[in-house]
Amino acid sequence: MAPSKKLDELAAQIEALTKGNKDLQEEIQKEFRDLKILIADVKRENKELKQHIEDRDKEILRLKEHINDSEQYARSWSVRVLNIPVPEKEATNPIKVMEAVYKHLFHGLLLEAKKKGWIHNIPSVEELLETAHILPSTRTDAPPPIICRFYTRNIRAMMFRLKKECAPRLPVEAAQTNQAE
């Protein structure tokens, strides 16, 4: 083979390799541009998702606060009463629990409220309390706490004012003695 023919073949091979490299380089550049576009799309989507999560977190916080406010409002009608003895056989009857609390605590407070001119007449237990129930307690040295729900929040507020001045504070031993009777 003549040297010029070999040179022509080598030149053709070099040209083919160069063209292949250019095609490969163009393909790599195209893929790189596509990758840049994908990365930009992912960044945009990530930013949108972060904003969406932030909005959801704000909504969750708003709903938690709303639930808390609702629970606090529901509690604003009730009061927890301690050291009121209720016979065990009557503990599951809300009417009997209401009567026990009324007899041992609220009636005396209502008498004081009438003396002070805060109320005109003393309401009956049915007019004062909507319901009452005993909470579970692990303590054996005192009667379990009782939750009482008033018909009005004004009466509940008055009871708290009167409690500071007039409520009998029985020591645990006295409450147990009363319970035994």
Side-chain angles (χ1 to χ4, degrees):
M1 204 190 262
S4 71
K5 198 171 184 177
K6 270 191 163 184
L7 281 175
D8 287 342
E9 283 178 12
L10 279 174
Q13 285 177 349
I14 289 173
E15 192 175 316
L17 285 173
T18 303
K19 184 177 183 317
N21 282 341
K22 282 184 183 180
D23 291 345
L24 185 60
Q25 185 179 9
E26 286 175 8
E27 187 179 326
I28 289 172
Q29 285 176 342
K30 181 184 177 290
E31 286 181 11
F32 186 71
R33 282 190 301 273
D34 291 347
L35 190 57
K36 277 184 164 180
I37 291 169
L38 284 174
I39 289 172
D41 288 347
V42 168
K43 282 182 179 179
R44 182 184 40 76
E45 186 178 343
N46 190 28
K47 186 176 180 180
E48 290 172 2
L49 288 173
K50 282 182 180 178
Q51 183 61 46
H52 185 69
I53 289 170
E54 187 177 310
D55 292 345
R56 288 282 172 107
D57 287 348
K58 287 178 184 176
E59 180 65 10
I60 288 169
L61 181 61
R62 187 190 68 77
L63 290 172
K64 280 182 178 178
E65 289 172 352
H66 178 72
I67 288 169
N68 185 48
D69 291 346
S70 296
E71 288 175 354
Q72 293 301 321
Y73 178 78
R75 287 184 189 131
S76 71
W77 297 82
S78 301
V79 64
R80 179 187 305 244
V81 179
L82 303 174
N83 291 329
I84 301 293
V86 177
E88 193 173 319
K89 63 184 178 191
E90 297 176 352
T92 57
N93 183 339
I95 302 297
K96 296 294 185 182
V97 174
M98 289 175 8
E99 289 171 351
V101 174
Y102 186 84
K103 175 183 157 195
H104 287 90
L105 177 64
F106 294 140
H107 188 262
L109 292 176
L110 290 168
L111 287 172
E112 287 297 319
K114 187 171 180 183
K115 275 190 218 174
K116 292 177 179 283
W118 293 0
I119 58 175
H120 298 293
N121 53 20
I122 297 175
S124 67
V125 66
E126 295 85 11
E127 296 169 321
L128 183 72
L129 298 175
E130 181 180 342
T131 190
H133 67 276
I134 295 178
L135 294 175
S137 176
T138 56
R139 292 184 59 184
T140 57
D141 62 337
I146 300 172
I147 299 293
C148 299
R149 183 173 172 93
F150 291 96
Y151 276 113
T152 70
R153 288 179 291 169
N154 291 338
I155 294 289
R156 176 187 178 266
M158 181 182 66
M159 291 296 178
F160 275 113
R161 285 193 309 254
L162 287 166
K163 176 186 149 211
K164 288 181 182 175
E165 298 174 25
C166 315
R169 298 201 182 261
L170 295 176
V172 174
E173 299 82 30
Q176 287 174 338
T177 305
N178 285 344
Q179 189 176 17
E181 294 173 358

